[in-house]
């Protein structure tokens, strides 16, 4: 411990009162230092904060390694955070489905794809660790009862099809089985429990947490503060901060309240901020990803997102002003989001581009029906009607479709270099379905720095903060500038499992 | 003290909301506050404790208090949906199964909306404010 650390801790101790705890300077850290007289309201071996993929996977893995008392504290009324509303897309190399379909893939290939999208600043060691264990994580979900479509998808930036998707096209197809598995194994789940700060031991190790219970979201005075002792470790699995408009605008002023957001309401980031106050290293906070497959015609992730993710490989995205394509439809997310944001009318106002798909191909995915049923996508019999509806110049549009169909035939996209492997024989033909596209704030690449043991590193010492672990979207730097689609589920699950093993000494 | 303050804040909210209640809904005036018409007995007999555990509540009723009388399994049967709408059953839904606390969607003293509405445009024709 260096001098600054030591002095801070001395000040904590000086302030110790009859309650057995000392508060840090007002307005600063919410961490308190415990002394022998502290009253513990609850005692567990492992305390997990947050009930998404990372927290749930950690809970299950901990019991497998002999943990007898593990509780998942969730501040919201419901469990699952972003994970329960996610698209259910799960990338992993060397999986049973790849074997069945004869797809050549490897840990190296997956990591190489991710490094490319990370634009030179991703954490190769962690990506490799995650890719190496991704199929174990997939298996954990299957063992718990998750069900997947019998085919793989090739998402933007992935060089081969390696993405599973749950049969309900939603992360809930994983979180619900994991919640049931947790209950079966005796992992305690407690909702309305908001983490407010750490409790430190005499050697500045994290030995517990303060939980506000019962907490009603956005009523900061609801409930009472409880002291929870965590004898083996605390895992922060509190997710990202895309819903915290001030915090995201501090990183990127363009992400105002007017920009939509796909996240659950609880993605506000206070758990991450508390780790920074304790000394964790902030990494890549400004890399906030917007989803290029979102629609301006519905709330949140909605139906269009999964529809567009499935259809991009065999569809064209068209700028309504020009009638022309303007991007590789399966480039990485940042490339596409930036390209969409550049679609503007002559006055510079946003002019959401459209995606045109052959209905025959679109209807292969079950979300197509919902997109049409709930009026967020439309079916057309000819290009004339599309041009009329979206005020697109017809001739260039007709020309573009013909041109693109020639690329399908030749297997080479001369315009944007899109990989045409997944578009073989899939010509753009009537009848068509159309959705509108506009990016929404979706994912935080940034967060606290962790190592391959899921330990949180201290900015003063560079060493692990004793007793403190983090996993999932709350961590930063793993994916670099832009995360590839379907790579968050393996990351959250593998790092949650890793944290549990570290905590249990396995 | 803190919980008293938040209690009066809740009361103020209730008053503000009450004017928005429409005829035909089951949320009606029960003297000093709004309450469900079918819970009238609890109000005339001042039985706050039935839900809140104490006679003079200063905080919200626990999540499981409705379940003393209502069964989530039965409710799930009553609101079951068919085919591709199977998982739009509010009492057994895709994202949270049967785990959503009742008061997330139903207010006993105030108007609320189903939380599904945060993202979806599903119609719940039987939902009563
Ligand atoms: C709409 C959507 C679709 C997506 N689709 C995909 C996809 O198909 N494939 C993919 O790989 N990735 C996808 N992602 C990204 C991925 O879902 C997330 O990165 C992932 O769910 C994060 O998991 P997590 O466990 O880290 O956090 P979360 O699942 O967000 O869970 C964190 C939990 O912590 C709780 N919490 C926060 N602060 C506190 C506190 N102070 N006290 C107590 N609890 C707290 C939150 O309420 C939340 O429940 C998607 C994301 C979104 C939003």
């Amino acid at each position: 411990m260096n001098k600054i650390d030591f002095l801070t801790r001395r000040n904590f101790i000086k302030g110790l009162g009859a309650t057995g705890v000392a508060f840090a300077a007002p307005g600063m850290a919410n961490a308190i230092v415990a002394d022998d007289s502290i009253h513990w309201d609850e005692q567990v071996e492992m305390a997990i904060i947050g009930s998404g993929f990372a927290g749930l996977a950690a809970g299950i893995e901990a019991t497998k390694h002999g943990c007898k008392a593990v509780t998942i504290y969730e501040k919201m009324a419901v469990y699952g955070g972003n994970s329960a509303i996610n698209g259910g897309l799960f990338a992993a190399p060397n999986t049973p489905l790849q074997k069945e379909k004869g797809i050549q893939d490897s840990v190296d290939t997956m990591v190489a794809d991710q490094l490319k999208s990370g634009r030179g600043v991703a954490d190769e060691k962690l990506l490799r660790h995650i890719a190496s264990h991704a199929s174990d994580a997939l298996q954990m979900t299957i063992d718990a009862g998750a069900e997947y479509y019998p085919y793989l998808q090739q998402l933007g930036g992935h060089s081969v099809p390696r993405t599973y998707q749950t049969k309900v096209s939603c992360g809930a197809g994983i979180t619900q089985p994991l919640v049931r598995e947790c209950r079966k194994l005796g992992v305690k789940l407690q909702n309305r429990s908001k983490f407010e700060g750490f409790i430190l031991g005499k050697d500045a190790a994290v030995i517990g947490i303060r939980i506000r219970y019962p907490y009603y979201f956005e009523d900061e005075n609801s409930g009472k503060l409880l002291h929870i002792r965590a004898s083996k470790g605390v895992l922060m699995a509190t997710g990202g901060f895309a819903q915290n408009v001030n915090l995201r605008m501090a990183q990127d002023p363009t992400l105002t309240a007017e920009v939509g957001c796909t996240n659950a309401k609880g993605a506000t980031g206070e758990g991450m901020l508390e780790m920074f106050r304790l000394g964790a290293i902030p990494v890549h906070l400004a890399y906030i990803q917007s989803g290029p497959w979102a629609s301006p015609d519905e709330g949140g992730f909605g139906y269009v997102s999964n529809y567009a993710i499935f259809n991009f490989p065999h569809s064209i995205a068209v700028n309504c002003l020009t009638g022309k394509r303007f991007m590789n439809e399966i480039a990485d997310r940042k490339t596409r989001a930036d390209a969409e944001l550049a679609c503007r009318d002559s006055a510079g106002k946003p002019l959401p581009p459209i995606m045109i798909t052959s209905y025959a191909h679109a209807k292969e995915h079950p979300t197509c029906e919902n997109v049409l049923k709930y009026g967020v996508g439309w079916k057309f019999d000819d290009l004339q009607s599309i041009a009329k509806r979206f005020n697109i110049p017809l001739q260039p549009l007709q020309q573009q479709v013909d041109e693109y169909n020639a690329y399908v035939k030749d297997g080479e996209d001369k315009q944007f270099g899109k990989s045409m492997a997944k578009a073989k024989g899939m010509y753009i033909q009537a009848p068509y379905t159309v959705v509108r596209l506009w990016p929404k704030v979706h994912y935080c690449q940034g967060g606290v720095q962790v190592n391959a043991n899921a330990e949180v590193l201290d900015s003063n010492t560079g060493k692990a903060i004793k007793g403190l672990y983090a996993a999932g979207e709350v961590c930063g730097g793993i994916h670099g500038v832009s995360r590839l689609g379907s790579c968050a589920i393996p990351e959250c699950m593998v790092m949650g499992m890793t944290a549990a093993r570290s905590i249990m000494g396995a | 003290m803190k919980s008293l303050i938040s209690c009066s804040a809740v009361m103020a909210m209730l008053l503000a909301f009450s004017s928005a209640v429409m005829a035909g809904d089951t949320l009606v005036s029960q003297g000093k506050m709004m309450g469900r018409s079918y819970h009238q007995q609890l109000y005339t007999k001042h039985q706050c404790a039935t839900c809140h555990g104490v006679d003079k509540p200063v905080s919200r009723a626990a999540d499981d208090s409705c379940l003393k009388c209502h069964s989530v399994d039965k409710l799930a049967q009553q609101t079951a949906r068919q085919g591709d709408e199977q998982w739009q059953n509010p009492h057994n839904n895709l994202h949270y199964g049967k785990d959503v606390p009742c008061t997330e969607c139903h207010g006993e003293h105030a108007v609320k909306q189903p939380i599904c509405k945060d993202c979806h445009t599903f119609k719940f024709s039987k939902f009563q404010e």
Side-chain angles (χ1 to χ4, degrees):
Chain A
M1 188 185 300
N2 72 20
K3 199 170 164 203
I4 299 169
D5 242 348
F6 182 70
L7 283 177
T8 319
R9 205 175 64 78
R10 283 299 299 248
N11 287 337
F12 278 146
I13 292 169
K14 261 200 289 184
L16 277 181
T19 58
V21 295
F23 288 83
M28 273 179 53
N30 292 321
I32 55 177
V33 178
D35 79 353
D36 295 340
S37 67
I38 185 169
H39 169 75
W40 296 107
D41 296 288
E42 277 172 48
Q43 308 243 5
V44 294
E45 285 181 72
M46 180 175 171
I48 299 172
I49 323 297
S51 61
F53 297 127
L56 295 168
I60 292 169
E61 188 71 8
T63 60
K64 285 191 186 158
H65 293 281
C67 188
K68 294 280 179 295
V70 47
T71 301
I72 299 177
Y73 298 94
E74 168 57 54
K75 73 176 172 186
M76 304 305 277
V78 292
Y79 300 111
N82 276 347
S83 306
I85 60 166
N86 114 331
L89 294 155
F90 192 145
N94 305 328
T95 56
L97 265 184
Q98 282 188 331
K99 218 166 278 162
E100 187 189 312
K101 314 269 173 201
I103 293 160
Q104 282 295 323
D105 196 12
S106 66
V107 169
D108 283 342
T109 317
M110 175 155 161
V111 171
D113 290 346
Q114 293 182 277
L115 286 176
K116 193 168 164 210
S117 174
R119 290 172 168 67
V121 293
D123 188 323
E124 183 168 354
K125 195 169 165 211
L126 282 174
L127 287 177
R128 197 166 292 282
H129 172 75
I130 292 159
S132 306
H133 294 90
S135 61
D136 301 343
L138 181 71
Q139 194 56 48
M140 176 191 267
T141 70
I142 293 169
D143 291 345
E147 293 185 315
Y148 294 90
Y149 291 130
Y151 54 80
L152 293 168
Q153 296 178 53
Q154 182 177 355
L155 268 51
H158 290 269
S159 57
V160 297
R162 63 164 73 92
T163 298
Y164 280 66
Q165 184 169 35
T166 59
K167 279 192 177 162
V168 289
S169 301
C170 180
I174 298 171
T175 56
Q176 285 286 295
L178 294 185
V179 164
R180 280 195 293 272
E181 186 72 6
C182 279
R183 288 183 172 140
K184 203 169 94 193
L185 295 170
V187 177
K188 201 173 147 203
L189 288 143
Q190 194 177 295
N191 68 345
R192 301 202 195 279
S193 300
K194 187 187 185 197
F195 162 88
E196 292 210 346
F198 296 107
I199 301 176
L200 308 180
K202 301 239 164 71
D203 59 350
V206 172
I207 62 165
I209 48 173
R210 296 196 303 158
I211 289 286
R212 184 174 288 280
Y213 177 83
Y215 169 74
Y216 289 78
F217 186 59
E218 288 182 330
D219 180 355
E220 300 309 318
N221 290 324
S222 53
K224 289 201 175 74
L225 276 177
L226 305 177
H227 294 161
I228 317 288
R229 173 84 171 100
S231 60
K232 291 206 157 86
V234 171
L235 170 62
M236 296 296 285
T238 47
F241 60 90
Q243 285 284 14
N244 186 332
V245 177
N246 285 339
L247 185 54
R248 77 187 198 209
M249 280 183 71
Q251 317 302 327
D252 180 346
T254 66
L255 302 178
T256 62
E258 265 122 51
V259 183
C261 181
T262 63
N263 281 208
K265 285 181 179 161
T268 45
E270 67 278 0
M272 174 188 76
L273 295 177
E274 202 46 38
M275 286 192 275
F276 293 153
R277 291 195 190 94
L278 195 68
I281 304 172
V283 190
H284 294 174
L285 289 188
Y287 296 150
I288 301 171
Q289 180 179 78
S290 296
W293 21 248
S295 159
D297 299 307
E298 60 182 349
F301 198 61
Y303 284 117
V304 171
S305 301
N306 261 329
Y307 167 90
I309 288 169
F310 176 83
N311 286 300
F312 266 130
H314 47 264
S315 300
I316 55 171
V318 168
N319 184 338
C320 295
L321 193 67
T322 62
K324 293 283 178 200
R325 285 172 77 210
F326 59 95
M327 65 178 186
N328 166 359
E329 290 83 356
I330 54 171
D332 69 48
R333 288 179 172 176
K334 182 154 175 57
T335 305
R336 289 180 290 169
D338 288 349
E340 288 171 10
L341 284 171
C343 291
R344 311 244 156 200
D345 66 14
S346 50
K349 288 216 193 75
L351 183 64
I354 60 166
M355 181 174 91
I356 306 178
T357 312
S358 295
Y359 174 65
H361 305 145
K363 73 175 182 357
E364 291 298 308
H365 197 277
T367 49
C368 178
E369 214 174 293
N370 289 326
V371 161
L372 297 175
K373 178 170 171 181
Y374 295 102
V376 292
W378 311 272
K379 199 169 155 203
F380 295 92
D381 287 329
D382 48 48
L383 288 177
Q384 281 86 337
S385 319
I386 296 177
K388 192 154 164 235
R389 168 73 174 264
F390 299 100
N391 204 12
I392 303 170
L394 176 60
Q395 214 214 334
L397 177 64
Q398 178 72 62
Q399 216 178 339
Q400 174 65 77
V401 171
D402 294 343
E403 214 176 290
Y404 179 83
N405 280 338
Y407 304 153
V408 175
K409 186 155 174 267
D410 300 343
E412 191 197 344
D413 171 14
K414 294 206 182 75
Q415 240 175 329
F416 291 101
K418 165 177 171 177
S419 155
M420 301 301 281
K422 277 276 212 175
K424 219 174 186 173
M426 297 176 86
Y427 298 99
I428 308 279
Q429 279 166 342
Y432 311 96
T433 49
V434 172
V435 294
R436 297 204 306 160
L437 303 169
W438 198 252
K440 286 182 189 169
V441 181
H442 183 58
Y443 180 83
C444 298
Q445 272 88 197
V448 301
Q449 190 180 27
V450 291
N451 61 19
N453 299 323
E455 293 166 313
V456 178
L457 304 181
D458 183 297
S459 53
N460 278 326
T461 62
K463 297 211 177 89
I465 298 174
K466 250 177 114 183
L468 182 61
Y469 301 79
E473 197 173 331
V474 73
C475 300
I478 299 174
H479 301 280
V481 176
S482 178
R483 169 181 70 85
L484 286 185
S486 70
C487 288
I489 304 186
E491 180 225 313
C492 295
M493 297 263 323
V494 169
M495 293 309 290
M497 292 159 79
T498 301
R501 285 197 292 268
S502 298
I503 290 174
M504 296 309 295
Chain B
M1 186 59 196
K2 265 193 180 148
S3 45
L4 277 179
I5 291 170
S6 62
C7 183
S8 57
V10 170
M11 292 297 287
M13 259 162 51
L14 299 182
L15 291 174
F17 270 123
S18 57
S19 60
V21 179
M22 290 185 291
D25 289 323
T26 60
L27 190 52
V28 299
S29 172
Q30 299 281 8
K32 281 186 187 150
M33 61 173 70
M34 305 301 291
R36 296 284 161 184
S37 53
Y38 44 83
H39 291 155
Q40 191 182 357
Q41 283 243 348
L42 299 176
Y43 294 92
T44 44
K45 294 187 178 165
H46 304 290
Q47 287 171 335
C48 302
T50 308
C51 304
H52 290 272
V54 291
D55 282 333
K56 294 202 169 114
V58 291
S59 57
R60 296 164 175 91
D63 278 347
D64 58 2
S65 46
C66 310
L67 302 178
K68 286 186 208 159
C69 302
H70 304 273
S71 143
V72 68
D73 291 323
K74 280 208 187 115
L75 288 164
Q77 275 170 20
Q78 284 168 20
T79 55
R81 293 185 170 216
Q82 303 305 320
D84 64 329
E85 295 187 2
Q86 183 199 346
W87 287 114
Q88 294 174 17
N89 182 349
H91 298 110
N92 186 15
N93 62 79
L94 175 68
H95 302 289
Y96 313 113
K98 296 177 180 172
D99 278 348
V100 184
C102 311
T103 56
E104 287 299 290
C105 308
H106 305 289
E108 173 62 23
H109 306 305
V111 174
K112 284 193 179 170
Q113 286 289 319
I115 58 168
C116 311
K117 295 252 175 194
D118 287 350
C119 300
H120 300 289
T121 56
F122 309 149
K123 299 253 175 340
F124 296 108
S125 53
K126 286 190 235 161
F127 185 81
Q128 279 166 330
E129 286 196 332

